[in-house]
Amino acid sequence: MEHIRTPKVEQVKLLDRFSNKTTTGTLHLTATHLIFVESNVSGAHEIWILHHHIASVEKLSLTTTGCPLLIQCRNFRVVHFVVPRERDCHDIYSSLLHLLRPESYDELYAFSYNPKQNEQQREEGWQLLDLTAEFERMGLPCDQWQLTDVNRDYKVCETYPRDLYVPITASKPIIVGSSKFRSKGRFPVLTYFYQEKKAAVCRCSQPLSGFSARCLEDEHMLQAISRANHNSRFVYVMDTRPKLNALANRAAGKGYENEDNYSNIRFQFVGIENIHVMRASLQKLLEVVGTRALSVTDYLAGLESSGWLRHVKAIVDAAIFLTKAVTVEGASVLVHCSDGWDRTAQVCSLGALLMDPYYRTLKGFMVLIEKDWISFGHKFADRCDQLDGDPREVSPVFTQFLDCVWQLMEQFPQDFEFSEWFLIQLHEHVHSCQFGNFLGNSQRQREELQLKERTYSLWAHLFSERHHCLNPLYSLSSAEKHPVLEPLTQPWNFRFWRNMYHQFDRSMHPRQSVLKHTLALKESNVQLEATVHALKMKLQKLGVSTSPLELLSRPWEHGPPSRPRSLILGAPLSRKEAQQEEEEEEVLGEEALEDGPDGSGGERTAEGSSATENGYGELQDSFGSKSEPAVVSLELGVARMTC
Amino acid sequence: MVQTVNCSYNLKSNRRTHSIRIHFSRLQGTEGRQQASTVGGGSTDTWRDHQSYCQRCHVHLSLLRSRKWHSDHHRLQALLQEPRTGMLELSIFQFSHLWKDPPFVLDVNLGAISRLETIGVQSHGENTRGLEIVCKDLRNPRFAYKKQEQSKLEILGMLSKYAFPLSHNLPLFAYKYQEKFPKDGWKVYDPISEYKRQGLPNESWIISKINSSYEVCDTYPAVLVVPASITEDELRRVSVFRAKRRFPVLSWIHPESQAAVVRCGQPLVGPSDRRCREDERYLQTVLDASAQSHKLCIFDARQSSVADTSKAKDGGYENESFYPNVELNFLEIPTIHVMRESLRKLKEAVYPTIDEQRWLSSVDATHWLEYIRLLLAGAVRIADRVEGGKSSVVVHCSDGWDRTAQLTSLAMLMLDAHYRSLRGFQTLLEKEWTSFGHRFASRVGHGDENHANSERSPLFLQFIDCVWQMTRQFPSAFEFNELFLITVLDHLYSCLFGTFLYNSEQERVSKEVFSKTVSLWSYINSHAEDFINPLYVHYEHHVLYPVASQRNLDLWVNYYVRWNPRMRPQVPVHQNLKDLLVMRAELQRRVEEIQREASSSRSLSSSSELGGTAMHTTT
């Protein structure tokens, strides 16, 4: 609080990024949020920006109207304020500089965030996912794989979880020996078990082989993995790095497995670039799409030269390779990169997503992230820049994974139980530090921070919001028919994820969303059923015999919260509005019900210029970010078209 | 391991179809080496599902689920049979190939053939010759046959005869196609009732019969809407001043502000800045007809430089100093030749192979999306002017039948929800495109073998692409689906229906198209359920403003890349959506049923209102 010198500045202008539109309002600075409240209109439009989301604040040179302040957020929001007085601007600027880079974990929002739940609810939230149960679901432990307690005190590998599954034939000395030969002690362990073929997906880090070093224990370890699978005589070793990078690592005493030393492996490079390339690539992509008045040529050429879609494709390709090896050939696969927590996590989890329909359900996907990312020590704190740290450690590895998942969802719209919105929420909260799940770099660190005692779980929050997170097109039968997905990888199957990277740029979104529409249809079905039911009840009460119709009906109260009636403009309204509407209905009673739902009456409605049509903003009635009914004026729309 | 496969090759030109159909079936059954791997995301969609492809001869093999097959040994032999009446059994190919599974069929519509060419195929060690069929719909299958069979190869002659009937003094296929449909598509568009729907005639506009015998303007329809205060004599003088005598006529009128969309050809100003008082008065009358605006907006679709050039050649554009209260805007859309070239490049980019590394830049190099954006942006400006500015607009290009048709029809699609229904869209096409004389015969080249004709240009395709872009941005605003758009495009080339034949209404009347051929709409409306978008909600008064920014424009992969060997359709969402719709209809029906029962029992009144709620929420 001591950093906040000016808690409130009035008459601040907010410039739209892609047009000349400005809005005036008041800027509030709180301990956790930067809030902009539009001043003029009644429907007070607010923007809430969590300090943790701010990636950079820039004070631009003074103009005649005031002092511009450019804020870029990790959730791809870019806001451009103009503060009338320079002193205010400087105060905000310097306060934000202090606030946006917390130096210790205790300063993070998660430790002060309180969603008004009692202790028991919070504990239940943390118990929602159980990784032991998940390994049981895969059929582990079994006759070839066992749970080892070698890492009980994080002694062997401090970035691994406590519970690890290894081949039954791998004795403790072998494990310890192998871990000493692996970078950061991350020895080969099982992450997914394909029961049908008894094939395992294992992960580790690069071997410390240098130019010629060998380690018998490590060779035994791979032998053991291979022996645990009777279907195949060999085990694939996937090095997800480009060969050049792996060669360069050899000079530093690291490197990759020599096929001559390991008798039973098939070695394969996959060629996914490192975190620095990915960081630069996304940076480039955002620069390109953030340009105003972008021509088609600049857009397409920029998209291509950023390489982002190519990198996404490389990861999907690797996951397909992994999936084929496991499901078709029935071979076990060992995946590693350098340290085995970035590209390895991407490939293993994406592969599992292709192989196992369970991971394509809402809960399954949470389990997958909990397992492959959180517990196996993807360095969320470093990669997402949660604390003031080394900027070279920051990289959009997880974002890229979500992008890959989205590309798959586009190809298989019926196979995922969760929606795009869910992915965007995940991305939001990985950076928000509002929940404890993603804090810290490893399981050990999280235990030290006592996150389960001091913070809340995101999974519980998302479960409570699950009606927003579900994909209405999800069909179980589709998953049964094709348990293993085989995505296409032609270039046109990889597209720019507009709803992610432009999620706050209202004018960038298409005017109607199929998702919303389908949800509305589903809901109207529920309502119709309910009406049928209510009518029947009424008839029965009056003693009128009804024809024996089979009722699928559910009682009224089972219906999800009401949605706007106008489907086109409709976004799920904020709950307050919905309630208001319900109340109005009750008050007005019968006359109101006679009115058409769209209320368009005789009036012509211009679409594409109306307010509540942002694809995603409207779902943000959740914490932290409030819904923002933007006003996109017609001039704006036309200005964009001509540019 | 080689399997010998039988391949029969039918050139069908009977009463029902008009296509070259190639059957491949297995001759000697030996089991395939590998189990076919079924690909994920299978669909129930029978429509062009699961295409596979022969790398060597660029033949698409539909119906093959397995894509694991080799093209290393590949031999085609042609054996020719005598043509029979009606159906031509042209040949039996012996097709050696490594694959299994059911026979596959390759259908190439004869109408879609743009060019036939014999080519040399060197690679197979034998002296083979080949046949390449270049199609208008972005593909070119190739066939190879042995040299010794060449003499028997009358197939080329037969093909070319039936593919280009007009060049061989044969009637177009539409005249032979006599399929009966329950619905009559020729009744879809009636100009009088369409204008009546728009509220015409009114005090300022009348329906004129001046062109009923097509003598004032031979490319205009018989029924036109012109200002009430303009005499026939003046009209004739205006028509002389406009290119191809296409004088300004009303296309659409705003139900409230009375702002009108007017189309015409360019004024024949010439280098000496000729004037025409009647034309000036005419435009003033158009402006006066809408009370709420003081400026008439003229949109010239051309690039201003091109307009200047044509001014030097007796064409030109309205001089703002002679026309008071007029504002002239150029929309800077390039000519039909540029568009043709763009599509040619697009085809190279998507068929038969794709440069994976440079996919986006190769799409960019075609400029196709750039032109789509220009069109959409232009149409949005027009629509905004009419809706927001409450001002009348005049749209023209050079002759007023290409870019003008694109722009007015797109603007009308944005302004008027009626045109976004299945029937309404047909009306729009019939009205703005066919009746107002878009030169379909020249632009598509129906039945004409002169493939290099510079009159050909994919303008209608561009329009449909724009519509598709709009359906992507407003998924529930259009009653028709993607299949409908693709079907329309397929039959633009097929010559199966009379709808898109010839250059003008006059020609169609004189060739008795309406009585002797079948309308495409007969077919579509008789199978309407296939073409309905389940997400459609009829909002009567919504105006759509699509965002014409490149971020929202996509290449229409399902159309342009559909013949690419590696193309596979995605899981059809629409089936699922259809199920939802059926369920909704069912529930609605039950509510109605119970409502009826309730009201017949008469003892209660409140329940009917309760029913009313539910009805409304679904409409």
Side-chain angles (χ1 to χ4, degrees), chain A residues 18 288-291 294-297 299-301 303-304 309-310 313 328 410-415 472-475 482 484-493 495-496 498 502 507-514 517-518 521-522 524-525 527-529 531-532 534-536 538-539 542 544-547 549-552 556 565-569 585 590 593-598 600-609 634 638 640-643, chain B residues 37-42 44 65 67-68 252 254-256 354-364 367 369-370 373 377 380-381 384 387-388 415-416 472-477 534-539 541-554 557 561 564 566-568 570-573 576-577 580-581 583-584 587-591 593-595 597-598 601 603-604 606-619:
Chain A
F18 294 104
V288 168
V289 300
T291 319
L294 188 63
S295 76
V296 172
T297 304
Y299 174 64
L300 292 174
L303 204 57
E304 188 168 280
L309 296 180
R310 208 173 56 238
K313 178 178 179 325
V328 180
E410 286 288 286
Q411 280 196 45
F412 304 98
Q414 293 188 294
D415 289 86
L473 297 178
Y474 178 60
S475 115
H482 314 283
V484 178
L485 299 184
E486 290 183 33
L488 294 177
T489 55
Q490 286 92 52
W492 59 79
N493 290 302
R495 295 212 301 260
F496 172 65
R498 190 179 50 219
H502 278 312
S507 47
M508 288 298 152
H509 293 290
R511 305 312 199 185
Q512 296 179 325
S513 126
V514 181
H517 197 87
T518 322
L521 271 183
K522 268 199 156 169
S524 81
N525 268 345
Q527 277 182 7
L528 277 178
E529 277 174 16
T531 314
V532 169
L535 284 169
K536 274 202 86 151
K538 209 157 219 172
L539 283 172
L542 292 159
V544 183
S545 67
T546 51
S547 56
L549 280 167
E550 232 347 275
L551 278 186
L552 314 156
W556 280 101
R565 288 142 158 214
S566 161
L567 300 181
I568 291 190
L569 302 176
E585 249 173 55
E590 287 150 13
L593 301 178
E594 305 287 341
D595 280 343
D598 49 3
S600 58
E603 224 163 275
R604 292 176 66 84
T605 317
E607 215 166 286
S609 63
L634 187 54
V638 174
R640 173 134 324 95
M641 282 136 207
T642 48
C643 65
Chain B
S37 82
T38 48
V39 283
T44 50
R65 286 210 111 194
R67 289 181 297 154
K68 279 187 183 158
W252 189 78
H254 194 287
E256 282 155 22
I354 283 172
D355 184 351
E356 301 234 343
Q357 291 302 311
R358 276 188 288 279
W359 164 245
L360 288 173
S361 46
S362 59
V363 169
D364 172 45
H367 296 294
L369 287 178
E370 175 66 34
R373 193 188 67 81
V380 168
R381 277 179 73 180
D384 176 46
E387 177 67 32
L415 289 164
D416 194 337
R472 302 242 313 161
Q473 293 192 31
F474 302 93
S476 68
L535 292 175
Y536 177 63
V537 181
H538 182 64
Y539 283 106
H541 300 291
H542 280 270
V543 179
L544 308 183
Y545 291 114
V547 183
S549 107
Q550 62 298 319
R551 291 177 188 81
N552 285 290
L553 299 184
D554 269 323
V557 168
V561 198
N564 187 283
R566 295 176 59 200
M567 180 72 185
R568 193 185 72 201
Q570 296 184 341
V571 180
V573 181
N576 198 318
L577 300 176
L580 275 178
L581 274 187
M583 203 166 134
R584 186 178 82 170
L587 286 165
Q588 221 159 3
R589 191 185 56 76
R590 273 185 3 220
V591 169
E593 223 163 77
I594 296 185
Q595 240 179 328
E597 261 171 63
S601 70
S603 56
L604 53 153
S606 55
S607 64
S608 62
E609 267 107 5
L610 187 55
T613 352
M615 308 308 301
H616 283 310
T617 50
T618 58
T619 43

Side-chain angles (χ1 to χ4, degrees), chain A residues 78-245:
Chain A
V78 178
V79 281
H80 193 162
F81 292 117
V82 178
V83 184
R85 280 171 49 206
E86 207 210 334
R87 242 197 59 212
D88 292 338
C89 183
H90 185 76
D91 283 352
I92 290 184
Y93 174 71
S94 47
S95 312
L96 279 179
L97 279 190
H98 281 288
L99 289 166
L100 69 85
R101 290 259 183 280
E103 271 154 22
S104 77
Y105 281 103
D106 294 337
E107 292 171 49
L108 291 179
Y109 185 36
F111 295 102
S112 54
Y113 170 67
N114 185 355
K116 300 194 180 62
Q117 285 177 354
N118 61 33
E119 204 55 25
Q120 195 196 346
Q121 280 170 316
R122 194 178 66 191
E123 269 167 38
E124 278 170 10
W126 281 110
Q127 284 154 10
L128 211 55
L129 303 184
D130 178 5
L131 287 187
T132 316
E134 167 58 15
F135 282 104
E136 263 167 40
R137 189 193 66 85
M138 292 181 205
L140 293 175
C142 66
D143 56 344
Q144 295 295 338
W145 294 87
Q146 64 175 356
L147 180 68
T148 174
D149 59 354
V150 66
N151 202 33
R152 201 175 38 214
D153 305 316
Y154 302 111
K155 286 259 169 63
V156 178
C157 172
E158 61 169 4
T159 56
Y160 266 175
R162 287 174 200 273
D163 293 346
L164 294 167
Y165 290 82
V166 292
I168 227 150
T169 50
S171 63
K172 224 167 235 179
I174 288 182
I175 294 174
V176 175
S178 166
S179 82
K180 290 198 172 122
F181 188 63
R182 293 277 168 182
S183 173
K184 306 277 191 306
R186 294 169 71 92
F187 60 93
V189 292
L190 178 139
T191 173
Y192 179 69
F193 189 61
Y194 190 67
Q195 239 176 326
E196 204 177 296
K197 301 244 164 119
K198 304 278 179 221
V201 178
C202 300
R203 57 185 290 172
C204 61
S205 61
Q206 63 184 341
L208 303 174
S209 56
F211 289 102
S212 58
R214 291 182 63 165
C215 170
L216 285 179
E217 285 92 343
D218 195 58
E219 286 161 29
H220 272 139
M221 187 75 191
L222 265 69
Q223 190 84 34
I225 291 173
S226 177
R227 287 229 189 94
N229 179 0
H230 301 305
N231 279 321
S232 172
R233 285 182 294 106
F234 57 86
V235 49
Y236 278 107
V237 176
M238 276 173 83
D239 189 330
T240 54
R241 298 168 294 182
K243 188 170 185 184
L244 211 63
N245 300 19

Side-chain angles (χ1 to χ4, degrees), chain A residues 307-575:
Chain A
W308 182 254
L309 296 180
R310 208 173 56 238
H311 297 316
V312 167
K313 178 178 179 325
I315 297 168
V316 174
D317 278 336
I320 292 172
F321 178 86
L322 171 69
T323 308
K324 285 232 167 95
V326 172
T327 59
V328 180
E329 296 183 46
S332 293
V333 184
L334 176 67
V335 185
H336 71 75
C337 48
S338 295
D339 289 325
W341 49 42
D342 293 317
R343 286 167 272 198
T344 304
Q346 287 178 328
V347 172
C348 288
S349 51
L350 206 63
L353 202 64
L354 292 177
M355 281 184 253
D356 194 335
Y358 173 69
Y359 293 128
R360 302 195 286 266
T361 63
L362 186 66
K363 187 165 179 191
F365 192 69
M366 293 176 182
V367 168
L368 185 68
I369 290 186
E370 188 74 33
K371 173 168 75 76
D372 269 326
W373 291 83
I374 298 177
S375 87
F376 274 111
H378 173 68
K379 304 203 293 174
F380 277 106
D382 287 356
R383 298 285 178 262
C384 302
D385 205 11
Q386 289 169 354
L387 295 184
D388 198 9
D390 181 3
R392 285 182 50 80
E393 283 288 307
V394 181
S395 186
V397 176
F398 189 70
T399 308
Q400 197 168 37
F401 166 68
L402 293 180
D403 201 322
C404 295
V405 176
W406 178 79
Q407 306 285 358
L408 296 180
M409 284 166 66
E410 286 288 286
Q411 280 196 45
F412 304 98
Q414 293 188 294
D415 289 86
F416 291 83
E417 196 195 11
F418 47 88
S419 64
E420 186 184 25
W421 167 245
F422 172 68
L423 296 184
I424 293 176
Q425 277 296 292
L426 267 181
H427 181 262
E428 175 98 4
H429 287 298
V430 163
H431 292 97
S432 74
C433 303
Q434 186 176 344
F435 298 94
N437 306 57
F438 297 107
L439 300 192
N441 281 329
S442 66
Q443 206 67 324
R444 180 185 181 172
Q445 200 177 7
R446 275 181 274 272
E447 276 173 25
E448 283 164 5
L449 287 169
Q450 296 175 302
L451 292 176
K452 292 196 177 172
E453 288 77 46
R454 299 168 64 199
T455 67
Y456 294 85
S457 167
L458 171 66
W459 306 133
H461 165 63
L462 288 174
F463 258 111
S464 70
E465 299 247 301
R466 65 178 293 146
H467 58 277
H468 283 328
C469 298
L470 293 180
N471 168 15
L473 297 178
Y474 178 60
S475 115
L476 268 175
S477 59
S478 165
E480 277 158 21
K481 256 186 275 165
H482 314 283
V484 178
L485 299 184
E486 290 183 33
L488 294 177
T489 55
Q490 286 92 52
W492 59 79
N493 290 302
F494 295 93
R495 295 212 301 260
F496 172 65
W497 189 5
R498 190 179 50 219
N499 287 339
M500 171 65 99
Y501 305 112
H502 278 312
Q503 55 179 308
F504 294 100
D505 303 312
R506 268 144 209 289
S507 47
M508 288 298 152
H509 293 290
R511 305 312 199 185
Q512 296 179 325
S513 126
V514 181
L515 171 71
K516 260 184 279 167
H517 197 87
T518 322
L519 285 171
L521 271 183
K522 268 199 156 169
E523 220 153 85
S524 81
N525 268 345
V526 171
Q527 277 182 7
L528 277 178
E529 277 174 16
T531 314
V532 169
H533 186 78
L535 284 169
K536 274 202 86 151
M537 298 299 280
K538 209 157 219 172
L539 283 172
Q540 262 170 9
K541 222 164 54 193
L542 292 159
V544 183
S545 67
T546 51
S547 56
L549 280 167
E550 232 347 275
L551 278 186
L552 314 156
S553 67
R554 288 159 235 170
W556 280 101
E557 49 275 352
H558 276 207
S562 65
R563 270 175 204 277
R565 288 142 158 214
S566 161
L567 300 181
I568 291 190
L569 302 176
L573 299 178
S574 70
R575 236 160 261 149

Side-chain angles (χ1 to χ4, degrees), chain B residues 107-353:
Chain B
D107 267 328
V108 178
N109 200 301
L110 288 184
I113 295 176
S114 162
R115 177 157 52 101
L116 291 165
E117 228 170 69
T118 47
I119 47 167
V121 183
Q122 302 116 339
S123 56
H124 313 305
E126 294 168 44
N127 257 337
T128 48
R129 303 276 293 155
L131 168 67
E132 181 174 22
I133 304 178
V134 182
C135 296
K136 292 167 184 169
D137 55 356
L138 298 168
R139 58 174 162 166
N140 44 338
R142 292 172 169 188
F143 307 93
Y145 47 83
K146 270 188 166 178
K147 198 164 191 180
Q148 55 264 43
E149 310 293 345
Q150 221 183 92
S151 54
K152 294 185 192 169
L153 238 111
E154 294 152 32
I155 177 173
L156 189 63
M158 299 307 292
L159 255 180
S160 106
K161 192 168 157 191
Y162 285 99
F164 310 121
L166 289 189
S167 304
H168 293 86
N169 291 320
L170 289 169
L172 281 167
F173 188 75
Y175 289 95
K176 287 196 223 149
Y177 180 78
Q178 294 303 333
E179 186 92 13
K180 292 276 181 290
F181 291 104
K183 302 259 171 65
D184 183 4
W186 293 124
K187 296 208 174 95
V188 161
Y189 176 58
D190 170 39
I192 303 282
S193 56
E194 165 59 20
Y195 288 124
K196 198 170 164 202
R197 187 190 66 83
Q198 294 186 16
L200 296 167
N202 61 17
E203 63 272 19
S204 351
W205 296 91
I206 53 158
I207 293 176
S208 161
K209 294 273 163 70
I210 184 172
N211 201 33
S212 56
S213 53
Y214 307 106
E215 66 174 48
V216 179
C217 173
D218 56 358
T219 58
Y220 263 0
V223 178
L224 292 167
V225 175
V226 296
S229 58
I230 300 284
T231 63
E232 290 208 355
D233 208 33
E234 282 173 305
L235 263 185
R236 279 175 216 280
R237 250 172 278 163
V238 172
S239 77
V240 177
F241 185 63
R242 291 278 169 177
K244 302 287 189 297
R245 299 166 65 98
R246 292 170 73 93
F247 56 91
V249 291
L250 178 137
S251 267
W252 189 78
I253 188 162
H254 194 287
E256 282 155 22
S257 68
Q258 303 289 312
V261 177
V262 174
R263 59 183 289 173
C264 57
Q266 64 180 338
L268 301 176
V269 176
S272 57
D273 269 329
R274 266 194 304 273
R275 293 179 66 170
C276 171
R277 305 271 169 208
E278 288 80 8
D279 195 66
E280 287 159 26
R281 192 174 99 72
Y282 193 107
L283 293 192
Q284 184 62 41
T285 322
V286 170
L287 172 63
D288 295 342
S290 66
Q292 299 182 46
S293 169
H294 309 291
K295 255 285 187 265
L296 180 68
C297 207
I298 299 180
F299 287 99
D300 190 326
R302 297 170 291 182
Q303 289 154 308
S304 49
S305 56
V306 175
D308 282 330
T309 319
S310 61
K311 188 173 174 207
K313 289 189 242 154
D314 225 31
Y317 47 89
E318 291 80 359
N319 187 331
E320 284 178 68
S321 52
F322 300 152
Y323 294 83
N325 312 321
V326 155
E327 179 192 321
L328 181 68
N329 295 297
F330 289 101
L331 295 177
E332 306 288 336
I333 300 170
T335 62
I336 62 166
H337 312 293
V338 177
M339 304 305 176
R340 182 180 55 239
E341 187 58 18
S342 174
L343 185 68
R344 190 189 61 74
K345 285 189 195 149
L346 185 63
K347 180 182 173 177
E348 276 173 12
V350 300
Y351 187 94
T353 51

Side-chain angles (χ1 to χ4, degrees), chain A residues 13-26:
Chain A
K13 283 203 194 74
L14 172 66
L15 306 184
D16 188 280
R17 196 173 159 205
F18 294 104
S19 71
N20 300 320
K21 198 177 145 253
T22 58
T23 36
T24 315
T26 312

